[in-house]
Amino acid sequence: MAERSPVSTIERLESEVRTYCRSFPAVFTRARGAWIEDDAGRRYLDFFAGAGALNYGHNHPALKEALLGYLASDGITHSLDLATAAKIAFLEALDQHLLRPRGMSYKVMFPGPTGTNAVEAALKLARKVTGRTQVVSFTNAFHGMTLGALAVTGNSAKRNAAGVPLTNVVRAPFCNYLGEGGDSLGYLETLFSDRSSGIDAPAAILVETVQAEGGVNVASPAWLRALAALAQRSGALLIVDDIQVGCGRTGRFFSFEDAGLQPDIVCLSKSLSGYGLPLAITLLRPELDAWQPGEHNGTFRGHNPAFVTATAALAHFWADDQLARAVTAKAELVRARLDKLAPGCDAQVRGRGLIQGLACADPSLARQICQRAFEHGLIVETAGADDQVVKLLPPLTATVAELEDGLDRLERAIARAVAERAAAPRREAVAS
Ligand SMILES: *Cc1c(COP(=O)(O)O)cnc(C)c1O
């Protein structure tokens, strides 16, 4: 894609590794709810929502008020993992609004502040507890960029940047990867029960219930339950990476609740602070808490301003099931609209809750749709091995009118991209 970025300072000073500022070449200044504004005063509907870090939209007033009050009172900002009033309030809110109502008794570990830190901690703990080294992860999985999390990630471009062998992982086909009827779990079961299969018993099975970066691949509840049973039979811990599709993205707070799973370990980050502040946690069954004090450490384990907004988000959105029900209703609206749009761009609709995607038969069309959408004031990003999926992640708090507005813009973008294809079929939009 030709770079049309007006941001010469960024081109001059920021590393070539930058990505999203290339896809969305504008200088952003302000944001509120589902809207983000650039320095020319243009407003965009944000259906990317920080890749799922802004489930409650930008700068939600209830969260902002809590944060401003905390800062104004000289509340503690940095504290390593000291006991602070903000941390205690967060743990109490988590227990009250998430764990107890669900009959869960997880202990909470604060790894570093990002998602990949939560995954590293989960992998390390699973290996420590089981004394095993191999971890099962899936085709098209995405778990983060540090070496342990990268080893369980599928994407070859990301893996190739590691510079060292990425090892101690058994790759298995995700739900429906082998097509309908392909029995990926039967294969694993056979491998694990055959002492001559050459596969060591795994420490853990790590899974996303919906592979978001991997192309909006949805695991069926039956597959997830069979996976959990397989993990149990093989003495492996079940780790759910709920970093992108947790925090209400699929309706209920945890994406695995619908399937009735009780993972041994759960990774959360992205929308956990609710305000776009970095915060990650690794939830573990109490029996697994084999850590020695300080054995896994870090300077930013628990960032107090993020605790404050996370606590406010839990109280505001998760004291009842209103948000979960709204997500389910809004998801139906989005889904119905995508079902109508899909045939016009030779795409297949996939998703659960408010993560929905259009998987285009022609991958470069997906990129072109996103570019045109941006010109129509809608921010949407692609996902998948070939960036072939237009991935919609609107804030869960977007109103019905905003959702319809965004889908109208998407419809116009699709019409333009398809018309351009028809006019100049050989013009490729992508060079990523
Ligand atoms: C974003 C993401 C991660 C990594 O989180 P970072 O904060 O980018 O380190 C891990 N797993 C999933 C499913 C994600 O979407």
Side-chain angles (χ1 to χ4, degrees):
M1 167 179 119
E3 232 177 308
R4 298 174 300 124
S5 171
V7 281
S8 63
T9 304
I10 286 181
E11 283 167 10
R12 190 163 58 88
L13 294 173
E14 188 178 351
S15 159
E16 293 303 320
V17 79
R18 66 191 188 273
T19 56
Y20 299 124
C21 55
R22 301 177 194 264
S23 315
F24 307 111
V27 178
F28 297 100
T29 51
R30 291 148 49 87
R32 179 76 181 258
W35 296 89
I36 182 166
E37 196 177 306
D38 72 13
D39 62 354
R42 273 202 82 191
R43 278 157 50 84
Y44 305 79
L45 264 173
D46 186 359
F47 281 17
F48 185 33
L54 295 165
N55 280 6
Y56 317 120
H58 292 268
N59 300 336
H60 191 281
L63 279 51
K64 181 165 73 180
E65 193 187 307
L67 179 62
L68 289 174
Y70 186 75
L71 295 175
S73 73
D74 275 339
I76 305 283
T77 296
H78 182 265
S79 59
L80 297 165
D81 73 353
L82 292 171
T84 62
K87 175 158 88 175
I88 291 167
F90 168 71
L91 288 170
E92 292 288 356
L94 188 87
D95 194 36
Q96 179 188 345
H97 299 302
L98 295 185
L99 303 184
R100 269 190 278 138
R102 290 165 179 77
M104 293 172 167
S105 59
Y106 291 118
K107 287 188 84 176
V108 184
M109 171 178 179
F110 298 108
T114 72
T116 201
N117 300 140
V119 173
E120 294 290 346
L123 294 173
K124 203 193 258 190
L125 182 65
R127 289 178 170 130
K128 180 178 167 66
V129 167
T130 60
R132 302 173 176 182
T133 57
Q134 300 295 313
V135 169
V136 176
S137 91
F138 293 93
T139 49
N140 286 302
F142 182 86
H143 298 292
M145 290 297 105
T146 49
L147 289 177
L150 191 53
V152 280
T153 290
N155 184 290
S156 61
K158 305 259 190 293
R159 293 175 64 83
N160 290 342
V164 294
L166 297 171
T167 56
N168 298 311
V169 174
V170 176
R171 188 73 48 182
F174 190 68
C175 183
N176 288 332
Y177 182 77
L178 301 172
E180 296 280 338
D183 185 8
S184 63
L185 297 185
Y187 167 74
L188 274 184
E189 172 101 63
T190 308
L191 289 183
F192 294 151
S193 54
D194 175 2
R195 290 208 278 156
S196 293
S197 68
I199 303 287
D200 296 333
I205 300 180
L206 169 62
V207 70
E208 299 155 89
T209 64
V210 181
Q211 294 183 321
E213 297 300 309
V216 195
N217 308 315
V218 180
S220 73
W223 187 85
L224 289 169
R225 282 191 289 270
L227 183 71
L230 171 61
Q232 196 156 34
R233 277 197 301 279
S234 44
L237 301 180
L238 180 68
I239 307 174
V240 173
D241 178 347
D242 229 7
I243 290 169
Q244 187 157 158
V245 299
C247 301
R249 179 53 61 186
T250 65
R252 300 210 246 177
F253 187 89
F254 296 105
S255 72
F256 52 82
E257 287 181 66
D258 291 334
L261 300 194
Q262 294 178 317
D264 298 297
I265 301 178
V266 181
C267 301
L268 287 173
S269 181
K270 290 209 164 83
S271 275
L272 182 61
S273 82
Y275 205 73
L277 296 174
L279 179 62
I281 56 176
T282 305
L283 299 174
L284 39 125
R285 277 201 295 109
E287 310 86 273
L288 303 176
D289 198 2
W291 292 113
Q292 296 300 312
E295 197 176 11
H296 190 85
N297 215 333
T299 308
F300 293 103
R301 283 170 308 125
H303 177 50
N304 288 279
F307 284 148
V308 170
T309 55
T311 304
L314 289 169
H316 192 84
F317 293 108
W318 298 102
D320 57 38
D321 65 354
Q322 268 190 54
L323 180 67
R325 286 154 57 142
V327 167
T328 305
K330 289 171 188 175
E332 276 171 31
L333 178 155
V334 173
R335 182 77 185 205
R337 192 70 183 276
L338 292 183
D339 282 337
K340 281 196 202 138
L341 294 177
C345 53
D346 193 10
Q348 189 196 43
V349 186
R350 0 166 130 153
R352 236 185 92 206
L354 278 178
I355 174 165
Q356 295 285 339
L358 281 173
C360 297
D362 171 1
S364 63
L365 182 62
R367 170 52 58 203
Q368 201 168 344
I369 289 170
C370 291
Q371 283 173 7
R372 295 294 166 258
F374 185 65
E375 289 159 17
H376 285 285
L378 173 70
I379 297 184
V380 279
E381 199 21 331
T382 55
D386 303 311
D387 286 328
Q388 78 279 23
V389 182
V390 178
K391 180 174 80 168
L392 277 71
L393 284 174
L396 311 182
T397 50
T399 63
V400 167
E402 287 167 339
L403 290 174
E404 280 171 347
D405 186 349
L407 291 160
D408 288 346
R409 292 168 199 246
L410 181 67
E411 182 168 354
R412 293 199 288 278
I414 291 173
R416 262 185 70 196
V418 170
E420 287 163 6
R421 275 312 155 92
R426 290 179 334 125
R427 203 188 100 204
E428 287 298 282
V430 206
S432 57

